[in-house]
PDB file of all heavy atoms in Angstrom:
ATOM      1  N   GLY A   1     -10.497-146.538 -75.277  1.00  0.00           N
ATOM      2  CA  GLY A   1     -10.328-145.105 -75.456  1.00  0.00           C
ATOM      3  C   GLY A   1     -11.476-144.455 -76.200  1.00  0.00           C
ATOM      4  O   GLY A   1     -11.535-143.218 -76.276  1.00  0.00           O
ATOM      5  N   GLU A   2     -12.392-145.263 -76.746  1.00  0.00           N
ATOM      6  CA  GLU A   2     -13.557-144.729 -77.444  1.00  0.00           C
ATOM      7  C   GLU A   2     -14.796-144.810 -76.554  1.00  0.00           C
ATOM      8  O   GLU A   2     -14.875-145.652 -75.662  1.00  0.00           O
ATOM      9  CB  GLU A   2     -13.792-145.497 -78.753  1.00  0.00           C
ATOM     10  CG  GLU A   2     -12.658-145.344 -79.750  1.00  0.00           C
ATOM     11  CD  GLU A   2     -12.880-146.118 -81.031  1.00  0.00           C
ATOM     12  OE1 GLU A   2     -13.556-147.175 -80.984  1.00  0.00           O
ATOM     13  OE2 GLU A   2     -12.373-145.684 -82.080  1.00  0.00           O
ATOM     14  N   MET A   3     -15.757-143.958 -76.815  1.00  0.00           N
ATOM     15  CA  MET A   3     -16.984-143.903 -76.019  1.00  0.00           C
ATOM     16  C   MET A   3     -17.912-145.059 -76.391  1.00  0.00           C
ATOM     17  O   MET A   3     -18.181-145.278 -77.571  1.00  0.00           O
ATOM     18  CB  MET A   3     -17.707-142.576 -76.248  1.00  0.00           C
ATOM     19  CG  MET A   3     -19.001-142.442 -75.477  1.00  0.00           C
ATOM     20  SD  MET A   3     -18.743-142.397 -73.686  1.00  0.00           S
ATOM     21  CE  MET A   3     -17.952-140.781 -73.523  1.00  0.00           C
ATOM     22  N   PRO A   4     -18.394-145.815 -75.414  1.00  0.00           N
ATOM     23  CA  PRO A   4     -19.374-146.870 -75.716  1.00  0.00           C
ATOM     24  C   PRO A   4     -20.613-146.288 -76.394  1.00  0.00           C
ATOM     25  O   PRO A   4     -20.942-145.109 -76.221  1.00  0.00           O
ATOM     26  CB  PRO A   4     -19.713-147.444 -74.328  1.00  0.00           C
ATOM     27  CG  PRO A   4     -18.497-147.157 -73.506  1.00  0.00           C
ATOM     28  CD  PRO A   4     -18.002-145.818 -73.993  1.00  0.00           C
ATOM     29  N   TYR A   5     -21.300-147.138 -77.122  1.00  0.00           N
ATOM     30  CA  TYR A   5     -22.485-146.710 -77.843  1.00  0.00           C
ATOM     31  C   TYR A   5     -23.713-146.623 -76.913  1.00  0.00           C
ATOM     32  O   TYR A   5     -23.778-147.297 -75.883  1.00  0.00           O
ATOM     33  CB  TYR A   5     -22.809-147.708 -78.959  1.00  0.00           C
ATOM     34  CG  TYR A   5     -21.754-147.844 -80.034  1.00  0.00           C
ATOM     35  CD1 TYR A   5     -21.649-149.011 -80.781  1.00  0.00           C
ATOM     36  CD2 TYR A   5     -20.869-146.809 -80.315  1.00  0.00           C
ATOM     37  CE1 TYR A   5     -20.709-149.153 -81.785  1.00  0.00           C
ATOM     38  CE2 TYR A   5     -19.915-146.934 -81.309  1.00  0.00           C
ATOM     39  CZ  TYR A   5     -19.839-148.122 -82.049  1.00  0.00           C
ATOM     40  OH  TYR A   5     -18.887-148.246 -83.030  1.00  0.00           O
ATOM     41  N   HIS A   6     -24.683-145.824 -77.335  1.00  0.00           N
ATOM     42  CA  HIS A   6     -26.032-145.787 -76.740  1.00  0.00           C
ATOM     43  C   HIS A   6     -26.038-145.378 -75.266  1.00  0.00           C
ATOM     44  O   HIS A   6     -26.938-145.782 -74.519  1.00  0.00           O
ATOM     45  CB  HIS A   6     -26.715-147.155 -76.882  1.00  0.00           C
ATOM     46  CG  HIS A   6     -26.616-147.764 -78.239  1.00  0.00           C
ATOM     47  ND1 HIS A   6     -27.202-147.194 -79.352  1.00  0.00           N
ATOM     48  CD2 HIS A   6     -25.977-148.894 -78.664  1.00  0.00           C
ATOM     49  CE1 HIS A   6     -26.948-147.950 -80.405  1.00  0.00           C
ATOM     50  NE2 HIS A   6     -26.212-148.975 -80.033  1.00  0.00           N
ATOM     51  N   MET A   7     -25.081-144.578 -74.836  1.00  0.00           N
ATOM     52  CA  MET A   7     -25.006-144.255 -73.414  1.00  0.00           C
ATOM     53  C   MET A   7     -26.207-143.441 -72.927  1.00  0.00           C
ATOM     54  O   MET A   7     -26.639-143.606 -71.776  1.00  0.00           O
ATOM     55  CB  MET A   7     -23.700-143.522 -73.105  1.00  0.00           C
ATOM     56  CG  MET A   7     -22.452-144.430 -73.162  1.00  0.00           C
ATOM     57  SD  MET A   7     -22.598-145.886 -72.088  1.00  0.00           S
ATOM     58  CE  MET A   7     -22.757-145.123 -70.484  1.00  0.00           C
ATOM     59  N   ASP A   8     -26.770-142.603 -73.750  1.00  0.00           N
ATOM     60  CA  ASP A   8     -27.950-141.846 -73.330  1.00  0.00           C
ATOM     61  C   ASP A   8     -29.130-142.787 -73.103  1.00  0.00           C
ATOM     62  O   ASP A   8     -29.859-142.666 -72.099  1.00  0.00           O
ATOM     63  CB  ASP A   8     -28.325-140.796 -74.382  1.00  0.00           C
ATOM     64  CG  ASP A   8     -27.367-139.615 -74.402  1.00  0.00           C
ATOM     65  OD1 ASP A   8     -26.601-139.455 -73.429  1.00  0.00           O
ATOM     66  OD2 ASP A   8     -27.379-138.861 -75.396  1.00  0.00           O
ATOM     67  N   GLU A   9     -29.316-143.719 -74.013  1.00  0.00           N
ATOM     68  CA  GLU A   9     -30.399-144.700 -73.885  1.00  0.00           C
ATOM     69  C   GLU A   9     -30.199-145.580 -72.652  1.00  0.00           C
ATOM     70  O   GLU A   9     -31.148-145.870 -71.916  1.00  0.00           O
ATOM     71  CB  GLU A   9     -30.462-145.560 -75.149  1.00  0.00           C
ATOM     72  CG  GLU A   9     -31.596-146.565 -75.177  1.00  0.00           C
ATOM     73  CD  GLU A   9     -31.618-147.387 -76.450  1.00  0.00           C
ATOM     74  OE1 GLU A   9     -30.770-147.152 -77.346  1.00  0.00           O
ATOM     75  OE2 GLU A   9     -32.482-148.281 -76.547  1.00  0.00           O
ATOM     76  N   ILE A  10     -28.954-145.976 -72.421  1.00  0.00           N
ATOM     77  CA  ILE A  10     -28.644-146.807 -71.253  1.00  0.00           C
ATOM     78  C   ILE A  10     -28.895-146.032 -69.967  1.00  0.00           C
ATOM     79  O   ILE A  10     -29.478-146.560 -69.011  1.00  0.00           O
ATOM     80  CB  ILE A  10     -27.181-147.291 -71.328  1.00  0.00           C
ATOM     81  CG1 ILE A  10     -27.018-148.290 -72.470  1.00  0.00           C
ATOM     82  CG2 ILE A  10     -26.742-147.916 -70.006  1.00  0.00           C
ATOM     83  CD1 ILE A  10     -25.575-148.651 -72.786  1.00  0.00           C
ATOM     84  N   SER A  11     -28.457-144.795 -69.932  1.00  0.00           N
ATOM     85  CA  SER A  11     -28.656-143.965 -68.741  1.00  0.00           C
ATOM     86  C   SER A  11     -30.134-143.804 -68.424  1.00  0.00           C
ATOM     87  O   SER A  11     -30.555-143.899 -67.253  1.00  0.00           O
ATOM     88  CB  SER A  11     -28.004-142.598 -68.942  1.00  0.00           C
ATOM     89  OG  SER A  11     -28.211-141.762 -67.825  1.00  0.00           O
ATOM     90  N   ASP A  12     -30.948-143.587 -69.453  1.00  0.00           N
ATOM     91  CA  ASP A  12     -32.390-143.447 -69.252  1.00  0.00           C
ATOM     92  C   ASP A  12     -32.989-144.730 -68.686  1.00  0.00           C
ATOM     93  O   ASP A  12     -33.841-144.688 -67.784  1.00  0.00           O
ATOM     94  CB  ASP A  12     -33.078-143.090 -70.568  1.00  0.00           C
ATOM     95  CG  ASP A  12     -32.788-141.668 -71.023  1.00  0.00           C
ATOM     96  OD1 ASP A  12     -32.305-140.861 -70.199  1.00  0.00           O
ATOM     97  OD2 ASP A  12     -33.027-141.362 -72.208  1.00  0.00           O
ATOM     98  N   ALA A  13     -32.552-145.875 -69.208  1.00  0.00           N
ATOM     99  CA  ALA A  13     -33.082-147.158 -68.738  1.00  0.00           C
ATOM    100  C   ALA A  13     -32.701-147.406 -67.280  1.00  0.00           C
ATOM    101  O   ALA A  13     -33.528-147.846 -66.473  1.00  0.00           O
ATOM    102  CB  ALA A  13     -32.570-148.291 -69.625  1.00  0.00           C
ATOM    103  N   LEU A  14     -31.465-147.115 -66.928  1.00  0.00           N
ATOM    104  CA  LEU A  14     -31.007-147.341 -65.554  1.00  0.00           C
ATOM    105  C   LEU A  14     -31.741-146.444 -64.565  1.00  0.00           C
ATOM    106  O   LEU A  14     -32.054-146.861 -63.447  1.00  0.00           O
ATOM    107  CB  LEU A  14     -29.497-147.102 -65.457  1.00  0.00           C
ATOM    108  CG  LEU A  14     -28.607-148.127 -66.169  1.00  0.00           C
ATOM    109  CD1 LEU A  14     -27.160-147.638 -66.196  1.00  0.00           C
ATOM    110  CD2 LEU A  14     -28.696-149.493 -65.501  1.00  0.00           C
ATOM    111  N   SER A  15     -32.023-145.226 -64.974  1.00  0.00           N
ATOM    112  CA  SER A  15     -32.700-144.299 -64.073  1.00  0.00           C
ATOM    113  C   SER A  15     -34.174-144.643 -63.909  1.00  0.00           C
ATOM    114  O   SER A  15     -34.834-144.159 -62.981  1.00  0.00           O
ATOM    115  CB  SER A  15     -32.559-142.862 -64.584  1.00  0.00           C
ATOM    116  OG  SER A  15     -33.222-142.691 -65.827  1.00  0.00           O
ATOM    117  N   ASP A  16     -34.694-145.500 -64.781  1.00  0.00           N
ATOM    118  CA  ASP A  16     -36.111-145.859 -64.765  1.00  0.00           C
ATOM    119  C   ASP A  16     -36.375-147.262 -64.220  1.00  0.00           C
ATOM    120  O   ASP A  16     -37.518-147.620 -63.946  1.00  0.00           O
ATOM    121  CB  ASP A  16     -36.667-145.757 -66.194  1.00  0.00           C
ATOM    122  CG  ASP A  16     -38.148-146.064 -66.280  1.00  0.00           C
ATOM    123  OD1 ASP A  16     -38.933-145.341 -65.630  1.00  0.00           O
ATOM    124  OD2 ASP A  16     -38.519-147.028 -66.975  1.00  0.00           O
ATOM    125  N   CYS A  17     -35.314-148.067 -64.037  1.00  0.00           N
ATOM    126  CA  CYS A  17     -35.530-149.475 -63.706  1.00  0.00           C
ATOM    127  C   CYS A  17     -35.789-149.682 -62.218  1.00  0.00           C
ATOM    128  O   CYS A  17     -35.390-148.872 -61.380  1.00  0.00           O
ATOM    129  CB  CYS A  17     -34.354-150.336 -64.163  1.00  0.00           C
ATOM    130  SG  CYS A  17     -32.867-150.233 -63.155  1.00  0.00           S
ATOM    131  N   ASP A  18     -36.471-150.788 -61.911  1.00  0.00           N
ATOM    132  CA  ASP A  18     -36.654-151.172 -60.510  1.00  0.00           C
ATOM    133  C   ASP A  18     -36.049-152.536 -60.199  1.00  0.00           C
ATOM    134  O   ASP A  18     -36.060-152.978 -59.059  1.00  0.00           O
ATOM    135  CB  ASP A  18     -38.121-151.124 -60.085  1.00  0.00           C
ATOM    136  CG  ASP A  18     -39.060-151.803 -61.066  1.00  0.00           C
ATOM    137  OD1 ASP A  18     -38.575-152.489 -61.974  1.00  0.00           O
ATOM    138  OD2 ASP A  18     -40.282-151.641 -60.921  1.00  0.00           O
ATOM    139  N   LEU A  19     -35.507-153.210 -61.219  1.00  0.00           N
ATOM    140  CA  LEU A  19     -34.736-154.441 -61.032  1.00  0.00           C
ATOM    141  C   LEU A  19     -33.585-154.423 -62.020  1.00  0.00           C
ATOM    142  O   LEU A  19     -33.794-154.302 -63.229  1.00  0.00           O
ATOM    143  CB  LEU A  19     -35.604-155.679 -61.253  1.00  0.00           C
ATOM    144  CG  LEU A  19     -34.880-157.036 -61.164  1.00  0.00           C
ATOM    145  CD1 LEU A  19     -34.285-157.252 -59.761  1.00  0.00           C
ATOM    146  CD2 LEU A  19     -35.821-158.187 -61.525  1.00  0.00           C
ATOM    147  N   PHE A  20     -32.363-154.526 -61.505  1.00  0.00           N
ATOM    148  CA  PHE A  20     -31.165-154.534 -62.350  1.00  0.00           C
ATOM    149  C   PHE A  20     -30.437-155.857 -62.172  1.00  0.00           C
ATOM    150  O   PHE A  20     -30.107-156.250 -61.047  1.00  0.00           O
ATOM    151  CB  PHE A  20     -30.234-153.378 -61.987  1.00  0.00           C
ATOM    152  CG  PHE A  20     -28.920-153.395 -62.726  1.00  0.00           C
ATOM    153  CD1 PHE A  20     -28.860-153.108 -64.079  1.00  0.00           C
ATOM    154  CD2 PHE A  20     -27.734-153.716 -62.063  1.00  0.00           C
ATOM    155  CE1 PHE A  20     -27.651-153.132 -64.766  1.00  0.00           C
ATOM    156  CE2 PHE A  20     -26.527-153.734 -62.739  1.00  0.00           C
ATOM    157  CZ  PHE A  20     -26.481-153.444 -64.097  1.00  0.00           C
ATOM    158  N   LEU A  21     -30.198-156.557 -63.275  1.00  0.00           N
ATOM    159  CA  LEU A  21     -29.512-157.841 -63.254  1.00  0.00           C
ATOM    160  C   LEU A  21     -28.218-157.728 -64.052  1.00  0.00           C
ATOM    161  O   LEU A  21     -28.226-157.248 -65.186  1.00  0.00           O
ATOM    162  CB  LEU A  21     -30.391-158.937 -63.874  1.00  0.00           C
ATOM    163  CG  LEU A  21     -31.840-159.036 -63.382  1.00  0.00           C
ATOM    164  CD1 LEU A  21     -32.576-160.128 -64.155  1.00  0.00           C
ATOM    165  CD2 LEU A  21     -31.885-159.308 -61.884  1.00  0.00           C
ATOM    166  N   ALA A  22     -27.110-158.167 -63.473  1.00  0.00           N
ATOM    167  CA  ALA A  22     -25.824-158.209 -64.174  1.00  0.00           C
ATOM    168  C   ALA A  22     -25.406-159.662 -64.283  1.00  0.00           C
ATOM    169  O   ALA A  22     -25.270-160.360 -63.272  1.00  0.00           O
ATOM    170  CB  ALA A  22     -24.771-157.399 -63.436  1.00  0.00           C
ATOM    171  N   VAL A  23     -25.182-160.123 -65.501  1.00  0.00           N
ATOM    172  CA  VAL A  23     -24.902-161.543 -65.749  1.00  0.00           C
ATOM    173  C   VAL A  23     -23.535-161.694 -66.402  1.00  0.00           C
ATOM    174  O   VAL A  23     -23.296-161.181 -67.500  1.00  0.00           O
ATOM    175  CB  VAL A  23     -25.977-162.169 -66.667  1.00  0.00           C
ATOM    176  CG1 VAL A  23     -25.703-163.657 -66.865  1.00  0.00           C
ATOM    177  CG2 VAL A  23     -27.377-161.939 -66.108  1.00  0.00           C
ATOM    178  N   GLY A  24     -22.617-162.384 -65.723  1.00  0.00           N
ATOM    179  CA  GLY A  24     -21.321-162.691 -66.312  1.00  0.00           C
ATOM    180  C   GLY A  24     -20.430-161.488 -66.517  1.00  0.00           C
ATOM    181  O   GLY A  24     -19.656-161.445 -67.481  1.00  0.00           O
ATOM    182  N   THR A  25     -20.505-160.517 -65.615  1.00  0.00           N
ATOM    183  CA  THR A  25     -19.668-159.319 -65.736  1.00  0.00           C
ATOM    184  C   THR A  25     -18.574-159.332 -64.663  1.00  0.00           C
ATOM    185  O   THR A  25     -18.800-159.769 -63.542  1.00  0.00           O
ATOM    186  CB  THR A  25     -20.504-158.041 -65.591  1.00  0.00           C
ATOM    187  OG1 THR A  25     -21.101-158.013 -64.296  1.00  0.00           O
ATOM    188  CG2 THR A  25     -21.592-157.987 -66.646  1.00  0.00           C
ATOM    189  N   SER A  26     -17.411-158.820 -65.025  1.00  0.00           N
ATOM    190  CA  SER A  26     -16.268-158.829 -64.116  1.00  0.00           C
ATOM    191  C   SER A  26     -16.302-157.697 -63.101  1.00  0.00           C
ATOM    192  O   SER A  26     -15.699-157.784 -62.032  1.00  0.00           O
ATOM    193  CB  SER A  26     -14.967-158.743 -64.919  1.00  0.00           C
ATOM    194  OG  SER A  26     -14.895-157.500 -65.610  1.00  0.00           O
ATOM    195  N   GLY A  27     -16.966-156.604 -63.466  1.00  0.00           N
ATOM    196  CA  GLY A  27     -17.004-155.443 -62.585  1.00  0.00           C
ATOM    197  C   GLY A  27     -15.735-154.611 -62.625  1.00  0.00           C
ATOM    198  O   GLY A  27     -15.490-153.804 -61.725  1.00  0.00           O
ATOM    199  N   VAL A  28     -14.925-154.774 -63.678  1.00  0.00           N
ATOM    200  CA  VAL A  28     -13.687-154.001 -63.778  1.00  0.00           C
ATOM    201  C   VAL A  28     -13.665-153.090 -65.010  1.00  0.00           C
ATOM    202  O   VAL A  28     -12.765-152.266 -65.150  1.00  0.00           O
ATOM    203  CB  VAL A  28     -12.440-154.921 -63.784  1.00  0.00           C
ATOM    204  CG1 VAL A  28     -12.347-155.698 -62.491  1.00  0.00           C
ATOM    205  CG2 VAL A  28     -12.454-155.864 -64.981  1.00  0.00           C
ATOM    206  N   VAL A  29     -14.633-153.248 -65.907  1.00  0.00           N
ATOM    207  CA  VAL A  29     -14.658-152.439 -67.123  1.00  0.00           C
ATOM    208  C   VAL A  29     -15.705-151.345 -66.976  1.00  0.00           C
ATOM    209  O   VAL A  29     -16.894-151.618 -66.822  1.00  0.00           O
ATOM    210  CB  VAL A  29     -14.981-153.309 -68.360  1.00  0.00           C
ATOM    211  CG1 VAL A  29     -15.012-152.428 -69.623  1.00  0.00           C
ATOM    212  CG2 VAL A  29     -13.957-154.425 -68.514  1.00  0.00           C
ATOM    213  N   TYR A  30     -15.249-150.102 -66.992  1.00  0.00           N
ATOM    214  CA  TYR A  30     -16.164-148.962 -66.889  1.00  0.00           C
ATOM    215  C   TYR A  30     -16.454-148.420 -68.287  1.00  0.00           C
ATOM    216  O   TYR A  30     -15.635-148.584 -69.191  1.00  0.00           O
ATOM    217  CB  TYR A  30     -15.536-147.875 -66.004  1.00  0.00           C
ATOM    218  CG  TYR A  30     -15.637-148.207 -64.536  1.00  0.00           C
ATOM    219  CD1 TYR A  30     -14.689-149.025 -63.924  1.00  0.00           C
ATOM    220  CD2 TYR A  30     -16.699-147.744 -63.767  1.00  0.00           C
ATOM    221  CE1 TYR A  30     -14.794-149.357 -62.575  1.00  0.00           C
ATOM    222  CE2 TYR A  30     -16.813-148.067 -62.422  1.00  0.00           C
ATOM    223  CZ  TYR A  30     -15.857-148.868 -61.832  1.00  0.00           C
ATOM    224  OH  TYR A  30     -15.973-149.201 -60.503  1.00  0.00           O
TER     225      TYR A  30
END
């Protein structure tokens, strides 16, 4: 119910990346 930390920084990184790796994630937690 609380907002995750550093979302602005994360958003900037995702919009700038050219390779995204997800390791050990369930894909059910938003």
Side-chain angles (χ1 to χ4, degrees):
E2 296 179 330
M3 179 66 70
Y5 297 155
H6 313 295
M7 288 305 299
D8 287 344
E9 183 180 358
I10 291 170
S11 178
D12 289 345
L14 291 170
S15 65
D16 182 60
C17 76
D18 47 11
L19 177 62
F20 175 71
L21 311 177
V23 182
T25 62
S26 64
V28 298
V29 180
Y30 282 84

